[in-house]
Amino acid sequence: MLAHLRLTLICWLIYLAVTANFELSNLVVGLLIGLAIATILRPESQPLSLRRLPAVLFNLAKYTAWLGVDIIRNGIRVARIVLDPKLPIRPGIIAIQAGMKSELGVALSAHAITVTPGEQVVEIGDDGVMYVHCLDVVTSAEGAEEAQRKRRAMLERIFE
Amino acid sequence: MEIIWPILALVLVLTGTFFSIIGALGLVRLPDVYTRLHAAGKVGVFGAAFLAGAAALITPSVLGKAVILTALLVIAGPVVSHALASAAYRLGTPVQRATRDDLAVARERRLAMRDSMDSPV
């Protein structure tokens, strides 16, 4: 029941953000759509402690900011490579150990790597090894382990 | 103080356009599927996010739309480019000018292990 309400609320907020119309009729329509989606999806209830929520939100914001900085830095690097007349790419695939047990953790690590320009996960092995295609293997391989350690620490603080 | 928002929006529009052009240029210049996905799939998304930010600055009522759009792009974009890269690798599309390929090494090792197990003693 709690999960149902939570999903309804999230859908409602997204609907209101997209329509940006706070008249009573729109509020009601949004609530009905949210209820319908929650009824169809039937979310599984999972324990949510309200006490941990602020810490989780704070860590989520920190993670998003870190990811944003990473994306901008690497975006500029890739822009440089593409604009360079000599096209100085050193493509290749490197293996990075995700070091996380849960599938969600590995998936989110892979997402963080793939969302960064210049690196993308091609394949994930059974043992949680991510095979990452890089535009510049030498530069990416240097910082890869360190970045994954940092990423893992942040993700574990959000989803433990 | 009122003048600062249009100027900031202009800067964001120019940055977004610049990265969108880089994405298109990379798609043409880079040699193979995997490197092209870097330019088209990610740098392009990056450009669109800046354009959405600029739209939110000029007309504040679309802020919610811009945030949701950016979030969806950031969540769905990597999934698409991963699916394409993975499909290309499974089909055996060669990695052009590869200086290192750990996945091919791992795959060969696994195949060798399977062969040695299958072989009659």
Side-chain angles (χ1 to χ4, degrees):
Chain A
M1 195 60 210
L2 186 68
H4 194 279
L5 273 178
R6 199 169 62 204
L7 187 62
T8 306
L9 195 68
I10 291 170
C11 290
W12 191 42
L13 287 178
I14 291 177
Y15 178 82
L16 287 180
V18 170
T19 54
N21 173 356
F22 299 100
E23 285 168 31
L24 183 65
S25 57
N26 199 46
L27 293 180
V28 172
V29 169
L31 196 59
L32 288 178
I33 292 175
L35 274 172
I37 291 174
T39 312
I40 294 168
L41 284 184
R42 287 173 203 270
E44 282 170 37
S45 61
Q46 45 189 212
L48 171 84
S49 83
L50 278 177
R51 209 157 41 83
R52 273 195 59 221
L53 196 62
V56 166
L57 284 180
F58 172 74
N59 282 321
L60 195 64
K62 208 168 94 180
Y63 178 67
T64 312
W66 182 75
L67 209 56
V69 170
D70 213 34
I71 291 173
I72 288 174
R73 212 179 46 214
N74 281 290
I76 291 167
R77 207 183 75 190
V78 171
R80 264 219 193 106
I81 291 176
V82 169
L83 285 178
D84 196 309
K86 286 201 298 268
L87 206 65
I89 54 169
R90 285 176 285 188
I93 297 178
I94 56 170
I96 299 177
Q97 184 70 45
M100 298 178 90
K101 292 214 170 54
S102 70
E103 285 192 1
L104 183 67
V106 179
L108 284 171
S109 297
H111 171 264
I113 291 175
T114 307
V115 81
T116 320
E119 290 168 18
Q120 78 177 0
V121 175
V122 175
E123 188 80 73
I124 299 177
D126 302 326
D127 41 0
V129 179
M130 301 180 287
Y131 295 94
V132 185
H133 183 275
C134 308
L135 214 47
D136 185 342
V137 161
V138 182
T139 321
S140 295
E142 271 172 22
E145 295 287 322
E146 180 63 33
Q148 175 59 23
R149 234 192 328 274
K150 229 178 196 171
R151 202 177 289 128
R152 199 178 69 206
M154 285 192 185
L155 284 173
E156 272 169 358
R157 240 173 279 151
I158 300 172
F159 299 97
E160 61 180 1
Chain B
M1 270 325 269
E2 282 297 297
I3 194 80
I4 197 162
W5 298 118
I7 291 176
L8 202 58
L10 188 66
V11 170
L12 284 182
V13 166
L14 288 177
T15 320
T17 314
F18 172 74
F19 279 108
S20 298
I21 291 173
I22 293 285
L25 200 64
L27 193 66
V28 178
R29 290 200 67 198
L30 291 166
D32 68 342
V33 190
Y34 311 100
T35 46
R36 281 179 169 167
L37 279 173
H38 286 296
K42 271 87 59 82
V43 184
V45 165
F46 193 37
F50 273 108
L51 292 178
L57 274 183
I58 295 170
T59 34
S61 63
V62 303
L63 177 68
K65 281 193 185 80
V67 170
I68 301 276
L69 174 66
T70 309
L72 286 179
L73 278 175
V74 167
I75 292 168
V79 177
V80 174
S81 64
H82 164 73
L84 286 172
S86 183
Y89 202 93
R90 276 154 204 250
L91 285 174
T93 315
V95 183
Q96 297 278 333
R97 288 159 64 178
T99 43
R100 183 176 163 184
D101 192 343
D102 288 358
L103 180 51
V105 173
R107 185 161 289 194
E108 261 162 34
R109 197 183 302 141
R110 201 163 54 220
L111 283 179
M113 213 153 79
R114 204 173 59 193
D115 286 348
S116 67
M117 278 199 311
D118 285 351
S119 63
V121 182

